Amino acid sequence: MKNKNLLSIEHYAESFGTNKHKPKDYIKYLKRCVSLKETYISNNDEENAKRCLLLESILQIQHNYLKTYKLILKNKHDSAWSCIIDIENEIELIKPYIEVDFAKYKLDIVKDKNTKIQTLFPYTLFFSAGYTVGNYRCSICGEVITLRHRCNHKKGQIYNGRWCFWIKENITNFDHVAVVTNPKDKRCIPKEFNGKRFDFSVVDELVIHIKRPYLNWDLKWSKLRHPHDLFKDVKETDYCPCGSDKLYKDCCLKESGVLRPHVDFDFGQGFSDNPNIIKYHYPKSKDNVSAFKSDMQGIIMTMK
Ligand SMILES: [Zn+2]
Ligand SMILES: [Zn+2]
C-alpha cells in the first residue's frame, strides 16, 4: 500500500525534465521524503523505508543536475565538478536497485550528460591522500571489520532505510599526497597549477548555449589541425603543443596546423528529443589537457 505523501513525491520526481517540474519545490519534497522515511523506519516497514531512501537519492541527483549548470554559469567550476561527481557516485549507488526506473525519472539522460560533461573539464590528475586505516566499522551494526572478521551486512546495501557503508577509524601515517590519474575520490582536484588557473572555456561554451535546463545536447570529440597562429609563443625547439613527445619543428610545424582535440556540440529542443542544431567550437587556448598531464605526472608531495 502506497501512502499519498509518497505518491506525491514520486510524481514530483517523475515530472523532472518536463515543464511541470518546479525546481524550487525540491527542498519541500526532500524534507517530506526524509520525514516519511523516518516514520517507516520506526514502524519497521522496510520496504517503504527503502523506497523513500531511493527516492531521496533520485531527488538529489535531479537537483544536482540543475545545480551543476548554475554553478558553471556563476564561474564556480570546482563546486560544479564536485556536484558532477556526487551525481556519478549517487547513480552508482542506486543503479543495482531494479526498483529505480531510470527512464521514468530521466536518470538515463542525466547519467549520459553527466559522463559527457566531465570530458570538457581540464582535470586529468587528482590528489590522493596516503594514510593507513586502522580498522573499518559497519554503519549498520557498529561492529569492527577486520581482514578476519566481517559482519553480515554488505556495503552499498539498504537495511531498514539506511545505506550500509564502512566507517574508517584510527587513521595513522597520514604522510603524503600523491598525484594520480585514477583517484578513489575524483573530487580531490588541484585548484591551479604553476600559478595558472585551469582553462574552463570549453565547458563554459557548452553551458552558455544551454538556455533552458532541460534542453538536450550532445557532444563528439575528434582531432583537428588548429592554425599555427594560436601557438606563436611555442618555440620550434619546444615540445609540440599537440601533446606528442616530439619537438614542434619535427612534428606539427611541418603540417597545416597543430593537431588538437576538437569538440562538436549538438543542441536539441526538449530534454529527450534528438539534438538537431549543430554548433562548432574550437578550443581557443593552448593550455590543454595534455600540457597539464605531462607537467604533473608522477609528482608526489610529502607533507610535514
Ligand atoms: Zn554490520
Ligand atoms: Zn604535433
Side-chain angles (χ1 to χ4, degrees):
M1 258 286 284
K2 273 193 195 175
N3 167 302
K4 234 166 59 182
N5 263 330
L6 187 56
L7 279 174
S8 75
I9 305 163
E10 281 181 354
H11 284 150
Y12 175 71
E14 275 173 50
S15 74
F16 181 78
T18 69
N19 294 334
K20 282 185 206 148
H21 187 253
K22 294 191 182 75
K24 278 187 187 146
D25 287 347
Y26 162 71
I27 292 291
K28 181 174 96 185
Y29 284 106
L30 184 72
K31 279 184 181 162
R32 194 179 285 181
C33 194
V34 172
S35 85
L36 203 56
K37 181 185 71 186
E38 293 307 321
T39 314
Y40 286 132
I41 290 173
S42 52
N43 294 339
N44 280 318
D45 183 345
E46 275 215 37
E47 204 184 306
N48 278 318
K50 181 179 176 184
R51 200 169 265 148
C52 286
L53 185 70
L54 291 170
L55 258 177
E56 217 178 289
S57 287
I58 294 166
L59 291 176
Q60 276 163 8
I61 292 167
Q62 294 174 336
H63 172 73
N64 278 337
Y65 181 79
L66 301 178
K67 197 172 148 192
T68 299
Y69 293 92
K70 279 191 195 154
L71 287 168
I72 295 169
L73 281 171
K74 285 184 185 162
N75 250 329
K76 294 182 176 168
H77 297 92
D78 353 329
S79 309
W81 177 259
S82 292
C83 223
I84 287 168
I85 305 307
D86 285 346
I87 294 173
E88 187 170 77
N89 294 343
E90 204 71 30
I91 284 181
E92 280 305 303
L93 201 60
I94 64 169
K95 211 172 59 183
Y97 290 89
I98 43 157
E99 298 93 321
V100 182
D101 184 336
F102 267 56
K104 187 157 98 180
Y105 300 111
K106 323 290 186 299
L107 298 182
D108 45 355
I109 303 177
V110 169
K111 185 172 186 270
D112 176 58
K113 309 295 172 231
N114 198 58
T115 309
K116 285 176 178 158
I117 202 168
Q118 287 183 43
T119 68
L120 302 176
F121 279 77
Y123 308 127
T124 51
L125 292 164
F126 307 86
F127 291 123
S128 172
Y131 53 80
T132 312
V133 177
N135 62 273
Y136 294 92
R137 196 179 285 279
C138 169
S139 67
I140 301 294
C141 64
E143 273 185 45
V144 171
I145 298 152
T146 60
L147 281 173
R148 286 182 194 175
H149 176 79
R150 278 199 180 190
C151 63
N152 294 323
H153 303 108
K154 286 203 182 90
K155 257 201 291 189
Q157 297 251 333
I158 300 170
Y159 298 93
N160 198 18
R162 311 257 191 246
W163 289 109
C164 173
F165 52 89
W166 289 3
I167 303 156
K168 289 175 184 170
E169 286 185 343
N170 301 316
I171 291 171
T172 50
N173 300 328
F174 186 80
D175 58 0
H176 73 273
V177 173
V179 176
V180 296
T181 47
N182 252 329
K184 273 199 187 121
D185 187 352
K186 285 204 266 184
R187 281 169 293 204
C188 302
I189 43 166
K191 293 225 167 183
E192 54 179 45
F193 181 65
N194 272 348
K196 275 189 294 187
R197 292 278 300 163
F198 283 103
D199 177 8
F200 297 105
S201 57
V202 195
V203 68
D204 287 346
E205 187 78 20
L206 169 78
V207 173
I208 286 163
H209 285 99
I210 302 176
K211 301 251 158 42
R212 284 166 295 131
Y214 305 127
L215 182 110
N216 196 14
W217 57 270
D218 206 350
L219 61 80
K220 210 173 103 200
W221 278 100
S222 58
K223 284 199 165 183
L224 269 191
R225 298 251 170 228
H226 291 68
H228 289 292
D229 288 2
L230 292 172
F231 307 94
K232 276 185 217 148
D233 301 344
V234 186
K235 290 190 203 99
E236 289 189 16
T237 49
D238 284 346
Y239 281 113
C240 186
C242 76
S244 75
D245 290 327
K246 294 183 203 159
L247 300 182
Y248 192 20
K249 67 177 168 85
D250 298 330
C251 189
C252 292
L253 200 56
K254 294 190 218 163
E255 309 292 334
S256 57
V258 176
L259 198 61
R260 290 280 306 261
H262 162 84
V263 65
D264 287 334
F265 291 134
D266 198 344
F267 297 98
Q269 300 293 323
F271 200 42
S272 33
D273 306 331
N274 279 331
N276 51 13
I277 307 159
I278 299 175
K279 305 249 181 196
Y280 296 98
H281 176 71
Y282 301 85
K284 294 167 205 137
S285 160
K286 67 182 168 66
D287 297 327
N288 75 341
V289 168
S290 56
F292 280 106
K293 213 170 178 170
S294 53
D295 283 350
M296 284 182 75
Q297 214 140 36
I299 298 173
I300 290 185
M301 276 163 256
T302 305
M303 311 234 298
K304 285 262 147 66

